[in-house]
Amino acid sequence: MTNAETALKEATTSIEGVIGAALVDYTSGMALGTIGGGKDLDLSVAAAGNTDVVRAKLRTMELLGLKDEIEDILISLGSQYHLIRLIKGRNNNGLFLYLALDKGRSNLAMARHQLMRIEAELDV
């Protein structure tokens, strides 16, 4: 089991093309930890904005009566992928991992696979 800081560091070292990563509490919209980012990617703003995305999708699923779980949400931009991975587990309700990737330097399938592995080992 890894903690949030270790998980975020692992995301940036084991996933090619990472611009920034965050662990976010979507009940509050607050980033519990961040790594990377910069002047072109404010991870605190991204955490709050992606909280709205997660809440909207969960609300829509409820309205549709879908009895399923979100694995991840992908936002594909011209030059970036933004990947949101909801954390499952007994103590991790209300959290997601957020990853911003450079589209030209990353492999989306591998990033999803690695993020799933990191999420499975995360203990918050």
Side-chain angles (χ1 to χ4, degrees), residues 56-71:
K57 188 59 190 172
L58 289 171
R59 188 170 44 254
T60 301
M61 288 177 62
E62 184 179 336
L63 291 170
L64 292 171
L66 297 175
K67 306 292 185 217
D68 210 342
E69 293 181 340
I70 297 171
E71 287 183 5

Side-chain angles (χ1 to χ4, degrees), residues 12-52:
T12 61
T13 58
S14 69
I15 301 172
E16 188 70 28
V18 173
I19 300 166
L23 176 66
V24 183
D25 176 350
Y26 67 80
T27 58
S28 68
M30 299 291 293
L32 304 178
T34 63
I35 192 165
K39 67 177 181 71
D40 294 330
L41 180 64
D42 183 328
L43 289 170
S44 295
V45 172
N50 285 303
T51 291
D52 292 338

Side-chain angles (χ1 to χ4, degrees), residues 16-20 40-41 74-83 98-108:
E16 188 70 28
V18 173
I19 300 166
D40 294 330
L41 180 64
L74 171 65
I75 300 166
S76 181
L77 305 175
S79 63
Q80 297 177 0
Y81 293 121
H82 291 219
L83 191 55
Y98 166 72
L99 197 62
L101 300 163
D102 180 308
K103 211 174 196 180
R105 297 185 311 123
S106 62
N107 178 318
L108 182 57

